Amino acid sequence: MKTLDSHKDWVTCLYLPQEGNKVISASLDGSISIWHVLGWRCLNVLQGDQGPVKKILISQDSSKIFSLTQSPCIYIWDTASGKLSAKWEGHKEPISDIALSPDGQLLASSGRDQAIILWDIASSKETQSYFQKNAHFEKVLFS
């Protein structure tokens, strides 16, 4: 058993990219750590002022990490530089969930604002939004 010691608070999620040699962890301390599986060496710690991280996803080409906090924004991190590269704003209230499309071209977000938004990953633009009055979307999935 190995302790991942880069975080200062509870780890909220682990993500295992398809490439298989890395693990990405997120924490209530607002940090995201990238680990190399062999030796469990911390390769990079991504830290911003976005608050506790609830969920992370990684793009199919492993160049971007998408993070979800308790805000109405999606944060996009560049895995090579470890820097925050974009902040997508479209929801009016906190986001409940995010999901990647099977082809890796779209990201969907659902929020407490009764909306689901589809984002084009290549252009970083909102492509469609859906609103359902009196709804509260907890999860969003592609099938």
Side-chain angles (χ1 to χ4, degrees):
M1 185 178 294
K2 178 70 176 161
T3 301
L4 305 178
D5 57 5
S6 73
H7 297 294
K8 295 174 179 63
D9 206 336
W10 292 97
V11 170
T12 55
C13 62
L14 291 173
Y15 191 84
L16 303 149
Q18 290 180 345
E19 61 198 42
N21 62 352
K22 293 181 183 143
V23 172
I24 302 168
S25 58
S27 172
L28 291 177
D29 67 9
S31 69
I32 298 168
S33 295
I34 303 172
W35 303 87
H36 194 280
V37 174
L38 298 175
W40 289 101
R41 188 178 80 243
C42 185
L43 301 174
N44 207 346
V45 177
L46 317 179
Q47 183 76 51
D49 61 357
Q50 75 277 5
V53 181
K54 296 188 327 184
K55 183 173 182 174
I56 50 175
L57 295 174
I58 191 163
S59 61
Q60 281 189 338
D61 65 2
S62 298
S63 67
K64 297 178 179 80
I65 294 173
F66 305 94
S67 67
L68 176 62
T69 66
Q70 296 176 17
S71 79
C73 302
I74 300 167
Y75 298 89
I76 297 87
W77 300 85
D78 179 79
T79 56
S81 70
K83 304 283 185 205
L84 184 65
S85 61
K87 181 168 83 170
W88 293 349
E89 299 176 281
H91 286 277
K92 294 178 177 74
E93 292 189 38
I95 298 171
S96 306
D97 197 21
I98 53 176
L100 284 170
S101 64
D103 64 6
Q105 294 182 18
L106 297 172
L107 184 134
S109 58
S110 61
R112 293 187 205 155
D113 57 359
Q114 305 168 354
I116 294 175
I117 299 176
L118 290 179
W119 304 87
D120 178 73
I121 292 173
S123 69
S124 293
K125 301 236 187 265
E126 180 180 325
T127 62
Q128 291 180 306
S129 61
Y130 306 94
F131 177 80
Q132 178 64 49
K133 191 175 179 179
N134 299 322
H136 178 81
F137 300 110
E138 284 294 324
K139 294 286 180 192
V140 63
L141 299 167
F142 283 94
S143 60

